[in-house]
């Protein structure tokens, strides 16, 4: 049932779900930009911090790295920015800074560019225009998961989309922890081969 | 393989993934793991505390530079202050045409950030050696200071008095940084706690600090090769 992870949040009732996440979804914040340029750097920051953070999160998949990279983007970009620049100029400058910041993050940590921020692709626009429920990313992921063998799909859902520990996921699937570990590895490899 | 497994388990545990030397065919699996984690609804909303904290940090960094003291008198006094105020002023002053400010030129008492022009991240201690509430001195040769950990967050302040540049000593019992020269004392946050001067010394500048792979790093001047 690939739709269950999407619907859990909105129904707000997780009593029977395994390893349910307790954190409530914060309310979506809307940014309305009615002018052609910003009043001061604080306005630049407030209008863009969430955009940059969400882009980074989509590329690193974890909060500590996304926070560090977001901070690095603003620290690097704000000083040389002219406040008089247009909203569009400011945003492209921030995006360009984000792209190089992400590239150097990967060079520093893994030596390979695992993900890139192609500033002219649709994906950037999609992350930026959609709300935090990011339905497109979820639909895409679920489409690929739905094509996997049942147990592969289950372990990935339990561990990556839910918040099950390896032990909990093993119990849910009725296998040993060692088996769950192998299952997860194979499932992830197959999902990767299918373009996840 | 081991490095990648650990990286993925860190992702799943919402910890900072530890670096490793990735092979060519690791890319696709790592990307798949990242895409899966990032697809969780609501996972990519920034934490309010982070957003407010970063704004504060930017405010400190973009504050008007204390250029008067440093540029008018290139004296011995500036020299002895090199590790603190002057270094900050130079770093900020050098790019003064590019500084984005709110237009006010009033001297700011806000914290200063010491960011060397050609700085680099330098490991100063192991994460495990800096417990919650702990304090650790560090010495980068040209810059000295103290690390603290509060609510899990690591911070670094300069360890040089902003009055005349004497090196501060940690008074562990009171958690203060005492100046041996003129009885000034600073809190570990850099704020002045006590002084006997006519004009209060500036707060201690902060340095950028982070944790990577179990190590605490400070963004300081490049290590000298001599």
């Amino acid at each position: 049932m690939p739709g269950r992870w999407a619907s859990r949040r909105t129904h707000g009732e997780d009593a029977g779900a395994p390893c349910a996440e307790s954190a409530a979804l914060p309310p979506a914040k809307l940014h309305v930009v009615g002018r052609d340029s910003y009043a001061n750097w604080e306005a630049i920051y407030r209008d863009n911090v969430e955009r940059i953070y969400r882009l980074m999160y989509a590329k690193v998949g974890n909060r500590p790295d996304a926070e560090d990279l977001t901070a690095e983007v603003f620290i690097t970009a704000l000083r040389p920015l002219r406040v008089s620049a247009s909203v569009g100029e400011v945003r492209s400058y921030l995006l360009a800074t984000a792209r190089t910041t992400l590239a150097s993050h990967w060079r520093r940590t893994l030596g390979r560019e695992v993900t890139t921020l192609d500033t002219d692709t649709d994906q950037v626009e999609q992350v930026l225009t959609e709300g935090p429920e990011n339905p497109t990313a979820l639909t895409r992921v679920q489409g690929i998961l739905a094509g996997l063998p049942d147990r592969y799909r289950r372990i990935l859902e339990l561990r990556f989309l839910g918040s099950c520990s390896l032990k909990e996921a093993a119990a849910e699937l009725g296998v040993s922890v060692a088996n769950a570990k192998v299952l997860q590895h194979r499932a992830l490899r197959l999902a990767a081969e299918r373009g996840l | 393989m081991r490095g990648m497994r650990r990286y993925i388990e860190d992702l799943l545990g919402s910890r900072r993934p530890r670096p490793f030397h990735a092979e060519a065919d690791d890319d696709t699996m790592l990307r798949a793991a990242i895409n899966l984690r990032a697809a969780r609804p609501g996972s990519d909303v920034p934490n309010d505390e982070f957003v407010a904290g970063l704004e504060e940090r930017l405010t400190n960094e973009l504050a008007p530079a204390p250029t008067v003291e440093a540029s008018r008198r290139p004296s011995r006094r500036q020299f002895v202050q090199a590790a603190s105020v002057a270094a900050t002023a130079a770093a900020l002053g050098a790019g003064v045409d590019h500084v984005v400010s709110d237009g006010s030129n009033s001297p700011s008492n806000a914290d200063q950030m010491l960011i060397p022009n050609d700085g680099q991240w330098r490991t100063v201690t192991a994460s495990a050696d800096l417990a919650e509430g702990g304090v650790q001195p560090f010495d980068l040769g040209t810059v000295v200071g103290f690390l603290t950990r509060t609510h899990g967050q690591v911070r670094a302040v300069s360890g040089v008095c902003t009055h005349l540049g004497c090196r501060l000593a940690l008074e562990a019992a009171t958690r203060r940084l005492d100046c041996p020269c003129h009885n000034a004392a600073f809190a570990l946050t850099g704020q002045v706690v006590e002084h006997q001067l006519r004009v209060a010394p500036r707060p201690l500048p902060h340095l950028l600090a982070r944790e990577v792979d179990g190590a605490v790093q400070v963004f300081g001047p490049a290590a000298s090769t001599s």
Side-chain angles (χ1 to χ4, degrees):
Chain A
M1 187 169 43
R4 64 182 294 194
W5 299 102
S7 54
R8 272 176 50 191
R9 294 275 190 178
T10 38
H11 294 325
E13 208 196 85
D14 292 339
C19 324
E21 293 196 57
S22 56
L25 186 66
K29 289 173 199 146
L30 293 177
H31 293 294
V32 179
V33 181
R35 292 183 312 272
D36 291 330
S37 67
Y38 293 104
N40 49 34
W41 75 260
E42 286 93 338
I44 295 180
Y45 174 75
R46 286 175 197 150
D47 187 47
N48 289 286
V49 62
E50 188 168 337
R51 296 160 57 89
I52 297 298
Y53 179 87
R54 295 186 55 223
L55 270 181
M56 285 303 190
Y57 192 91
K59 298 298 177 184
V60 295
N62 76 91
R63 187 178 289 279
D65 280 342
E67 290 186 349
D68 276 7
L69 293 172
T70 303
E72 209 176 319
V73 167
F74 282 98
I75 284 167
T76 312
L78 278 187
R79 207 183 295 282
L81 257 183
R82 284 172 299 112
V83 168
S84 58
S86 73
V87 170
E89 284 170 338
V90 167
R91 287 190 172 171
S92 2
Y93 186 72
L94 286 172
L95 264 184
T97 309
R99 188 179 52 209
T100 52
T101 302
L102 180 70
S104 87
H105 164 75
W106 287 131
R107 272 198 305 277
R108 208 164 53 220
T109 55
L110 300 182
R112 305 188 55 83
E113 282 193 51
V114 173
T115 56
T116 53
L117 231 165
D118 302 316
T119 45
D120 47 350
T121 61
D122 297 339
Q123 201 205 351
V124 169
E125 264 320 294
Q126 174 231 311
V127 170
L128 294 181
T129 51
E130 278 184 356
E133 290 281 347
N134 50 42
T136 311
L138 190 64
T139 309
R140 188 177 153 272
V141 162
Q142 281 170 340
I144 290 166
L145 290 183
L148 299 179
D150 195 46
R151 293 167 74 73
Y152 281 15
R153 176 179 59 74
R154 286 288 291 146
I155 187 113
L156 294 182
E157 282 179 351
L158 289 168
R159 295 229 62 210
F160 284 85
L161 299 182
S163 50
C164 286
S165 68
L166 196 59
K167 208 169 149 190
E168 288 166 331
E172 186 74 18
L173 291 167
V175 298
S176 71
V177 170
N179 282 344
K181 214 172 182 174
V182 174
L183 193 61
Q184 176 186 313
H185 187 76
R186 289 183 182 159
L188 190 60
R189 194 168 53 201
L190 185 60
E193 281 165 12
R194 302 231 174 133
L196 186 71
Chain B
M1 183 64 82
R2 186 133 167 252
M4 182 170 67
R5 284 208 167 142
R6 193 179 63 178
Y7 196 94
I8 288 169
E9 286 307 309
D10 284 342
L11 275 180
L12 289 172
S14 302
R15 294 180 294 269
R16 182 193 304 283
R18 284 162 282 183
F20 70 101
H21 184 76
E23 304 295 332
D25 46 356
D26 292 343
D27 287 11
T28 54
M29 267 179 85
L30 289 168
R31 198 154 45 231
I34 288 169
N35 286 339
L36 275 168
R37 287 303 276 174
R40 287 171 305 148
S43 63
D44 66 348
V45 177
N47 185 324
D48 285 343
E49 214 169 280
F50 162 74
V51 171
L54 179 55
E55 180 163 355
E56 199 187 319
R57 200 168 135 191
L58 290 166
T59 307
N60 294 340
E61 281 187 39
L62 300 177
T67 44
V68 181
E69 225 179 331
S71 60
R72 201 176 48 194
R73 296 194 306 156
S75 61
R76 192 178 65 88
R77 176 170 175 177
Q78 184 191 345
F79 177 71
V80 294
Q81 286 181 314
S84 55
V85 176
T88 315
L92 293 172
V96 79
D97 290 340
H98 306 293
V99 171
V100 179
S101 81
D102 59 2
S104 106
N105 283 321
S106 57
S108 157
N109 216 18
D111 296 354
Q112 297 289 332
M113 212 66 194
L114 196 169
I115 303 178
N117 284 339
D118 294 310
Q120 57 179 221
W121 287 104
R122 297 177 59 183
T123 298
V124 286
T125 187
S127 286
D129 291 339
L130 187 63
E132 176 65 30
V135 187
Q136 280 264 337
F138 68 87
D139 188 344
L140 296 176
T142 47
V143 174
V144 295
F146 294 87
L147 292 165
T148 53
R149 186 194 292 280
T150 316
H151 306 304
Q153 185 74 36
V154 173
R155 289 174 196 281
V157 287
S158 158
V160 174
C161 183
T162 53
H163 175 219
L164 288 176
C166 302
R167 224 166 131 160
L168 300 169
L170 172 65
E171 179 66 26
T174 51
R175 297 178 64 79
R176 293 195 331 190
L177 302 174
D178 289 345
C179 180
C181 298
H182 301 101
N183 297 341
F186 299 82
L188 289 164
T189 54
Q191 297 306 304
V192 178
V193 181
E194 198 178 292
H195 71 92
Q196 57 169 32
L197 309 164
R198 268 189 306 150
V199 180
R202 289 175 185 280
L204 301 174
H206 285 252
L207 289 93
L208 297 174
R210 69 176 188 187
E211 284 181 277
V212 173
D213 203 30
V216 178
Q217 298 185 324
V218 170
F219 195 73
S224 98
T225 46
S226 61

